[in-house]
Amino acid sequence: TPAMPPCEATIEWLSIDCGTLPASAEVARFRTASGVMECHITVRLLGEGGTTEQLYSLMKAYQHALDAVEIDVSSAVFRRIFCSDVVNQAKLLNSLSDGAPCALSRICQAPLPAAKFAMWAYHLCSPKGGMDTSMEGQTLSCHRGALTHHWTAGLADTEENGSHDQTRRVLENYEQWLQSKGMNTADHVVRTWWFVQNIDADYQGLVDARCDFFDTHGLTADTHYIASTGIAGAHPEVAARVSLDSYAISGLRSEQVDHLCAPDYLCPTHDYGVTFERATAVSYADRRHIFISGTASIDHTGQVLHPGDVVSQLDRTLENIEALLSKAGANLGDLASIFVYLRDPADGVVIEAALHEKIGQVPYILVEAPVCRPGWLIEIEPFSVL
């Protein structure tokens, strides 16, 4: 189904003055013709001080960003905190609720350059006042007209039997919750993030369990899959081999959704045994979201390109991303945020320099997180709004 045309609004990228704080903050702001405003806030630290000091700097820089764009913390829908040692830091992070409902993802992916924390926060503001939100367990639901947006963070299973069985139980439990809200995985989930504690050992179990689940729940190569990232990352519960963050929309109509591909650049994922969409675009009356899955240096036959050369892999990854964006009438100038995952933290300095050259002002988070194939040295996950 053809997507609805985008509106004339554009992304603004703002660099926030954090004063003397050992931190930097960036905001991507998008305003629609209806007055609704989306803000993607990224905060990165310089790595000075201990855990408490760095968390203080993180939250103060975050507040500077909120003040600069004149929004309140209560407009937060989803936050992800990237941690260097989530097992020891998780209890301290529980204090981030601020009394305002918000889905909070805490994942062990050490920020680069070396720091204890980094943050991405997604805010949604309406000219009519506060958003109609509710919190149930780990899910923040935002009610807007005929649609309700459900952001879920940190789903995990701690029983033994390996990543396959844990993935299966996570999916089954999530499906039960979706059905309790009149939804299901196939028709309402538009984006997932899978984090694997030991990706080189346990990713295949996740892949197999997801394939089995999709086969029995109406997601096939002939229908569609879900935009997704599968990446190394540990949950606060050490027994959780895998964990899931997810975004679902109740009331979503099939004609609002386009599944994007760029076969001249990237082959379908099922060609090499995995089941996710390269990208998914969701259209609304006043804007379009483009969720691009974790993307790496791959060609149209499924082969890893430029083995051992992280900068060349970055270049090819950005080419692939541009090819996917073009299918929705977008380009790199429409990006609101980027997550950059590196297998080897020693590549951080060269990649950071290259990113400044290639993506300009787009807010990004750079973390240590091995990709699902050892040959991939870098993976990038962008989000676009237009």
Side-chain angles (χ1 to χ4, degrees):
T1 303
M4 303 174 192
C7 66
E8 295 302 317
T10 58
I11 286 276
E12 298 176 89
W13 297 314
L14 308 172
S15 183
I16 307 304
D17 181 3
C18 294
T20 60
L21 287 170
S24 62
E26 312 290 334
V27 178
R29 179 169 59 185
F30 183 88
R31 301 182 193 184
T32 70
S34 64
V36 172
M37 182 170 72
E38 295 186 30
C39 287
H40 295 255
I41 300 173
T42 59
V43 181
R44 305 176 68 208
L45 301 178
L46 301 182
E48 298 179 10
T51 300
T52 303
E53 291 82 5
Q54 290 199 34
L55 185 59
Y56 172 83
S57 295
L58 183 86
M59 298 311 294
K60 286 294 290 184
Y62 178 40
Q63 187 61 55
H64 277 302
L66 296 175
D67 293 343
V69 293
E70 299 182 329
I71 61 176
D72 188 77
V73 69
S74 63
S75 63
V77 174
F78 188 90
R79 296 189 195 112
R80 181 171 294 145
I81 310 295
F82 303 85
C83 309
S84 62
D85 182 4
V86 72
V87 174
N88 284 311
Q89 296 160 350
K91 186 175 181 180
L92 187 60
L93 292 174
N94 289 337
S95 64
L96 299 184
S97 60
D98 300 320
C102 177
L104 178 63
S105 174
R106 302 162 299 167
I107 198 70
C108 193
Q109 292 177 330
L112 299 172
K116 292 184 179 293
F117 304 106
M119 175 168 50
W120 166 65
Y122 173 54
H123 286 251
L124 191 60
C125 309
S126 170
K128 298 179 181 179
M131 305 298 293
D132 180 9
T133 61
S134 58
M135 195 80 193
E136 180 182 340
Q138 295 154 273
T139 299
L140 184 285
S141 298
C142 183
H143 314 280
R144 301 196 65 239
L147 303 179
T148 299
H149 304 260
H150 305 275
W151 292 86
T152 301
L155 297 181
D157 179 90
T158 56
E159 294 184 31
E160 289 302 324
N161 302 328
S163 61
H164 181 284
D165 285 358
Q166 287 193 3
T167 301
R168 174 179 55 79
R169 287 189 291 265
V170 167
L171 284 167
E172 288 172 349
N173 291 337
Y174 185 45
E175 175 71 14
Q176 288 179 10
W177 182 85
L178 289 168
Q179 290 189 10
S180 75
K181 305 298 180 184
M183 298 183 288
N184 59 63
T185 302
D187 297 329
H188 300 95
V189 178
V190 298
R191 186 64 166 92
T192 59
W193 295 263
W194 286 99
F195 302 105
V196 187
Q197 188 177 116
N198 184 343
I199 197 156
D200 292 331
D202 287 333
Y203 182 67
Q204 192 59 49
L206 183 157
V207 166
D208 293 343
R210 182 172 58 182
C211 286
D212 293 344
F213 180 87
F214 283 179
D215 282 345
T216 58
H217 287 79
L219 294 102
T220 71
D222 295 325
T223 58
H224 68 88
Y225 296 119
I226 298 167
S228 190
T229 299
I231 198 76
H235 187 271
E237 293 288 342
V238 295
R241 295 172 183 261
V242 300
S243 61
L244 173 66
D245 290 351
S246 187
Y247 173 47
I249 307 173
S250 58
L252 188 66
R253 305 187 312 275
S254 60
E255 61 266 25
Q256 291 179 259
V257 181
D258 283 320
H259 301 292
L260 309 176
C261 60
D264 291 340
Y265 289 83
L266 310 97
C267 67
T269 63
H270 61 80
D271 281 4
Y272 52 95
V274 291
T275 49
F276 63 89
E277 290 293 336
R278 293 295 185 190
T280 298
V282 182
S283 297
Y284 307 99
D286 57 358
R287 64 196 183 282
R288 181 188 302 156
H289 287 162
I290 305 170
F291 299 93
I292 295 185
S293 297
T295 302
S297 180
I298 190 172
D299 69 10
H300 68 286
T301 68
Q303 299 301 306
V304 177
L305 293 179
H306 311 298
D309 184 342
V310 69
V311 174
S312 293
Q313 287 198 14
L314 168 64
D315 290 340
R316 175 61 188 208
T317 300
L318 290 174
E319 282 184 43
N320 289 343
I321 288 168
E322 287 187 287
L324 290 166
L325 286 169
S326 71
K327 301 300 181 180
N331 55 53
L332 293 179
D334 299 304
L335 293 180
S337 63
I338 287 180
F339 300 153
V340 183
Y341 305 107
L342 288 181
R343 172 170 283 269
D344 186 349
D347 289 329
V349 173
V350 67
I351 286 300
E352 184 144 43
L355 284 171
H356 284 296
E357 176 187 344
K358 297 174 188 301
I359 66 171
Q361 295 177 278
V362 180
Y364 70 90
I365 297 288
L366 179 65
V367 297
E368 177 185 356
V371 189
C372 59
R373 285 198 219 177
W376 278 326
L377 306 178
I378 185 170
E379 180 169 300
I380 296 179
E381 172 195 317
F383 173 80
S384 176
V385 57
L386 71 159

